[in-house]
């Protein structure tokens, strides 16, 4: 009987591996904008950006019919401001970013960029306007230079170098014997987490989008690297409209405004100081994280 089970076990493993592969592939197709649910309207114009504000106007959305995730969410990020979105796990933070990128359309309400409904403009123009720095960037098994230039078709070597400087990558590149021509390995494995993230930041700089979405950009890094990367990101976001999706509140305390999501609704919003004074959900999350950080500190001593 044991002998019979072993091949079955193996089969299970192979099945799980394939299934995981499919899930990854589905994710990849979504990223490569082949979502069949969303299509350009015939004759849709390109998004034209003068002042890149972002508005969620009563947005209602669920992935499945019977389960609403965002319940009529409304907020405005004025052009050039740096906003943060926080909230408990499952509150809908990543969903909000996916809707802004139009991986899905809301069931009700509208999302506007510079006054234009994003479902009325071409997806290519929409996606050209938004840069995403994800928590774990996908690098191609190619050179550092290629991975940076990928940000925008036709990017020149000068632009790639300027972006590498902006992302504080030149120190690393100067130390590498092959410089920009250094191969990063499969999925960028020959680079450290922080270096990979800088390549992703440089790629975004080459793209030069008026709107930035920073998705937990610093979650996988140690504190020293994190501080450096954060400083770089803040510089990059300075003259753009940005939305940072964060778990750790310490990284977004200086945002112009913090939107606190809870169960797909805007529970509170304000500056860090205002929200602490309010003594609501944000203050509670802040105190809990401070206590956790203190515990970690004690454990490390
Ligand atoms: P976290 O902080 O844990 O990343 P979040 O606030 O970003 O959470 P979302 O990822 O936006 O939360 O998810 C909101 C809800 O939507 C969750 O309950 C999640 O289970 C559900 N959800 C997310 N993606 C999908 C999907 N592709 N299909 C169905 N449900 C989904």
């Amino acid at each position: 009987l044991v002998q019979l089970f072993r091949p079955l076990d193996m089969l299970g493993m192979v099945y799980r591996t394939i299934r995981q592969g499919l899930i990854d592939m589905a994710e990849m197709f979504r990223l490569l904008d082949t979502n069949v649910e969303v299509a350009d309207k015939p004759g849709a114009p390109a998004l034209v950006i003068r002042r890149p504000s972002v508005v969620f106007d009563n947005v209602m959305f669920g992935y499945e019919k019977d389960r609403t995730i965002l319940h009529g969410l409304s907020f405005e990020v004025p052009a050039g401001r740096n906003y943060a979105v926080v909230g408990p796990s499952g509150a809908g933070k990543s969903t909000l970013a996916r809707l802004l990128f139009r991986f899905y359309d809301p069931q009700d309400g509208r999302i506007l960029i510079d006054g234009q409904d994003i479902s009325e403009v071409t997806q290519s123009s929409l996606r050209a306007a938004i840069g995403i720095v994800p928590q774990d960037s996908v690098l191609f098994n190619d050179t550092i230079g290629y991975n940076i230039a990928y940000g925008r078709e036709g990017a020149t070597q000068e632009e790639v170098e300027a972006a590498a400087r902006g992302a504080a990558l030149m120190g690393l590149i100067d130390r590498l014997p092959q410089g920009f021509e250094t191969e990063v390995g499969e999925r960028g494995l020959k680079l450290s987490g922080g270096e990979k993230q800088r390549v992703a930041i440089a790629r975004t700089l080459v793209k030069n989008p008026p709107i930035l979405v920073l998705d937990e950009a610093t979650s996988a890094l140690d504190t020293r690297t994190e501080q450096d990367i954060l400083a770089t990101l803040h510089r990059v976001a300075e003259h753009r409209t940005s939305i940072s999706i964060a778990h750790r509140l310490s990284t977004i305390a200086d945002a112009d405004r913090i939107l606190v999501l809870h169960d797909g609704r805007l529970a509170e919003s304000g500056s860090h100081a205002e929200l602490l004074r309010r003594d609501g959900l944000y203050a509670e999350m802040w105190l809990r994280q401070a206590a956790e950080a203190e515990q970690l500190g004690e454990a490390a001593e």
Side-chain angles (χ1 to χ4, degrees):
L1 202 69
V2 170
Q3 273 172 347
L4 187 79
F5 269 122
R6 197 161 293 147
L8 278 180
D9 241 347
M10 278 285 290
L11 232 130
M13 202 179 77
V14 170
Y15 170 71
R16 278 192 298 277
T17 309
I18 292 174
R19 210 170 64 130
Q20 187 59 45
L22 287 180
I23 291 168
D24 290 349
M25 226 151 73
E27 187 64 36
M28 204 173 80
F29 277 131
R30 248 212 338 263
L31 289 173
L32 294 175
D33 81 64
T34 48
N35 189 354
V36 287
E37 292 169 50
V38 169
D40 284 359
K41 292 199 174 144
L47 177 67
V48 180
I49 295 194
R50 294 181 193 90
R51 298 198 45 79
S53 57
V54 174
V55 170
F56 272 57
D57 176 18
N58 212 10
V59 171
M60 176 102 75
F61 175 76
Y63 295 93
E64 290 138 6
K65 225 173 38 232
D66 304 327
R67 190 168 163 232
T68 305
I69 303 292
L70 300 182
H71 303 264
L73 184 63
S74 295
F75 63 85
E76 173 176 4
V77 186
R81 291 303 170 89
N82 302 143
Y83 274 34
V85 179
V86 303
S89 178
K93 304 182 293 292
S94 305
T95 301
L96 179 159
R98 289 180 201 132
L99 289 173
L100 181 61
F101 224 58
R102 208 176 164 217
F103 288 141
Y104 305 92
D105 282 327
Q107 271 102 37
D108 202 5
R110 298 177 311 161
I111 300 170
L112 309 170
I113 291 182
D114 197 358
Q116 298 146 80
D117 187 330
I118 63 168
S119 69
E120 302 286 342
V121 299
T122 60
Q123 291 169 76
S124 56
S125 64
L126 170 69
R127 287 172 196 171
I130 307 172
I132 293 197
V133 183
Q135 38 183 314
D136 193 14
S137 305
V138 183
L139 296 193
F140 299 104
N141 190 358
D142 207 299
T143 63
I144 293 185
Y146 175 87
N147 272 286
I148 298 175
Y150 184 80
R152 187 169 42 80
E153 226 178 288
T156 63
Q157 182 59 25
E158 287 74 47
E159 287 167 332
V160 168
E161 281 182 30
R165 264 195 305 281
L169 254 180
M170 284 317 286
L172 169 74
I173 287 167
D174 285 342
R175 266 181 280 122
L176 294 168
Q178 290 180 291
F180 282 100
E181 296 308 312
T182 307
E183 296 281 335
V184 302
E186 202 163 330
R187 282 177 288 127
L189 280 181
K190 290 185 190 166
L191 300 182
S192 75
E195 291 163 354
K196 261 172 66 172
Q197 200 141 28
R198 287 190 187 283
V199 173
I201 295 171
R203 183 188 283 174
T204 306
L205 281 175
V206 160
K207 184 172 175 179
N208 195 21
I211 298 167
L212 268 184
V213 176
L214 311 175
D215 185 11
E216 281 284 299
T218 55
S219 59
L221 304 170
D222 65 71
T223 26
R224 176 67 209 285
T225 317
E226 186 177 310
Q227 293 305 326
D228 290 351
I229 298 254
L230 263 181
T232 309
L233 276 174
H234 282 182
R235 246 196 351 264
V236 171
E238 216 163 297
H239 301 293
R240 300 170 209 260
T241 309
S242 77
I243 302 178
S244 302
I245 296 172
H247 274 130
R248 294 220 319 261
L249 306 184
S250 56
T251 60
I252 48 92
D254 59 354
D256 290 323
R257 199 175 180 84
I258 299 166
L259 309 174
V260 186
L261 276 197
H262 187 230
D263 282 342
R265 292 184 172 86
L266 192 60
E268 306 169 339
S269 76
S271 68
H272 173 72
E274 283 164 3
L275 289 172
L276 282 188
R277 274 200 300 276
R278 206 185 139 106
D279 209 11
L281 182 59
Y282 180 85
E284 189 189 308
M285 288 166 62
W286 177 262
L287 287 178
R288 195 171 29 190
Q289 291 198 1
E292 277 166 13
E294 201 167 304
Q295 261 181 2
L296 275 178
E298 277 168 16
E301 274 166 20

